[in-house]
């Protein structure tokens, strides 16, 4: 926590290294959060960049790292909301998603926790053997079916089933050591696959 406190002070003083520190800490999770909402990698990246620009513009206003984190998530959420509202005219986006984004602060906190848990999973996926990680990513995080995965990776359905089950078994063991129960992991996976 000392590093975070030190970096907050450095940010207030206008040191770019502090901005880089917070970008390293939060950009991956913020990108995932934005992408989950708008389903566009480039726009999600742009929104995260815009959030850090706004952080830099208001750097003197922050006294703690938690307020920086909350600010960044709120900015990204608002940017996503604005994007969906402007797109709604052209594409008639899902009203349920818009109302979900406009909901209260407690819901935002739940989304932050969810995003951080997803980030933990992504970190662990990167440690899996390449094919297991790819298949888990495509099937669980991106919601693709077995046929789509077979076509994309040029593999068989039995290989997809085997690799996915091996990946899940490995992740269960990892999260058991991190005191995340199978039930919590399963619950998390069920939330991931819902749109």
């Amino acid at each position: 926590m000392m590093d975070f406190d030190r970096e907050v002070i450095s940010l207030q003083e206008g040191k770019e290294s502090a901005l880089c520190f917070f970008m390293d800490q939060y950009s991956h999770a913020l990108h995932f959060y934005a992408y989950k909402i708008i389903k566009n990698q480039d726009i999600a990246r742009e929104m995260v960049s815009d959030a850090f620009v706004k952080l830099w513009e208001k750097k003197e206003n922050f006294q703690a790292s938690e307020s920086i984190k909350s600010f960044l998530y709120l900015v990204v959420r608002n940017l996503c909301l604005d994007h969906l509202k402007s797109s709604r005219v052209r594409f008639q986006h899902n009203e349920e998603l818009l109302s979900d984004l406009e909901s209260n602060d407690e819901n935002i906190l739940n989304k932050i926790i969810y995003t951080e848990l997803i980030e933990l999973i992504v970190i662990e996926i990167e440690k899996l053997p390449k094919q297991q990680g790819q298949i888990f990513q495509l099937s669980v995080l991106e919601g693709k079916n077995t046929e789509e995965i077979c076509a994309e990776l040029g593999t068989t359905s039995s290989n997809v089933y085997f690799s996915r089950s091996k990946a899940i078994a490995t992740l269960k063991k990892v999260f058991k050591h991190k005191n995340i129960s199978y039930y919590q992991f399963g619950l998390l996976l069920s939330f991931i696959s819902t749109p």
Side-chain angles (χ1 to χ4, degrees):
M1 196 60 164
M2 293 293 281
D3 286 344
F4 280 91
D5 294 338
R6 204 172 20 250
E7 295 299 335
V8 170
I9 293 167
S10 295
L11 184 70
Q12 290 172 331
E13 294 170 351
K15 294 181 181 172
E16 288 182 19
S17 62
L19 180 64
C20 291
F21 173 84
F22 288 110
M23 289 172 78
D24 289 343
Q25 293 298 315
Y26 301 128
S27 61
H28 185 71
L30 287 167
H31 180 265
F32 178 82
Y33 178 63
Y35 177 74
K36 189 74 175 159
I37 296 168
I38 59 171
K39 308 288 191 242
N40 183 306
Q41 294 281 3
D42 294 330
I43 295 173
R45 247 188 304 280
E46 188 177 312
M47 289 177 175
V48 171
S49 294
D50 290 350
F52 283 106
V53 168
K54 290 180 187 294
L55 173 64
W56 184 253
E57 291 170 351
K58 297 181 180 292
K59 60 187 173 286
E60 296 86 10
N61 299 340
F62 297 99
Q63 307 301 317
S65 61
E66 286 305 311
S67 60
I68 290 172
K69 183 178 183 180
S70 298
F71 172 80
L72 290 168
Y73 274 95
L74 284 171
V75 169
V76 169
R77 182 200 70 160
N78 290 339
L79 289 169
C80 289
L81 181 60
D82 291 345
H83 175 76
L84 290 175
K85 282 181 176 176
S86 70
S87 299
R88 181 172 51 182
V89 174
R90 292 175 288 171
F91 303 110
Q92 294 299 314
H93 276 280
N94 186 339
E95 292 296 322
E96 184 179 310
L97 179 59
L98 285 173
S99 64
D100 187 39
L101 281 173
E102 292 172 330
S103 62
N104 63 27
D105 289 342
E106 184 178 317
N107 197 13
I108 293 168
L109 180 60
N110 289 337
K111 288 185 184 302
I112 291 171
I113 292 167
Y114 164 79
T115 303
E116 289 178 348
L117 284 170
I118 295 299
E119 187 174 18
L120 259 176
I121 289 177
V122 169
I123 289 167
E124 294 303 325
I125 289 172
E126 291 171 0
K127 297 176 184 175
L128 292 172
K130 185 178 179 182
Q131 189 172 36
Q132 284 181 26
Q134 285 177 320
I135 288 173
F136 186 89
Q137 172 86 26
L138 292 170
S139 67
V140 178
L141 297 181
E142 295 180 24
K144 294 186 178 181
N145 65 35
T146 302
E147 290 175 10
E148 293 170 319
I149 296 168
C150 289
E152 188 169 328
L153 298 180
T155 190
T156 64
S157 58
S158 61
N159 193 24
V160 170
Y161 294 127
F162 177 76
S163 294
R164 183 174 38 220
S165 64
K166 287 288 286 178
I168 289 172
T170 302
L171 291 172
K172 279 189 219 175
K173 286 179 188 172
V174 167
F175 288 112
K176 184 177 181 181
H177 291 293
K178 293 182 184 257
N179 292 325
I180 295 175
S181 71
Y182 173 68
Y183 173 75
Q184 291 168 316
F185 179 63
L187 214 87
L188 183 58
L189 291 181
S190 70
F191 285 122
I192 294 170
S193 55
T194 59

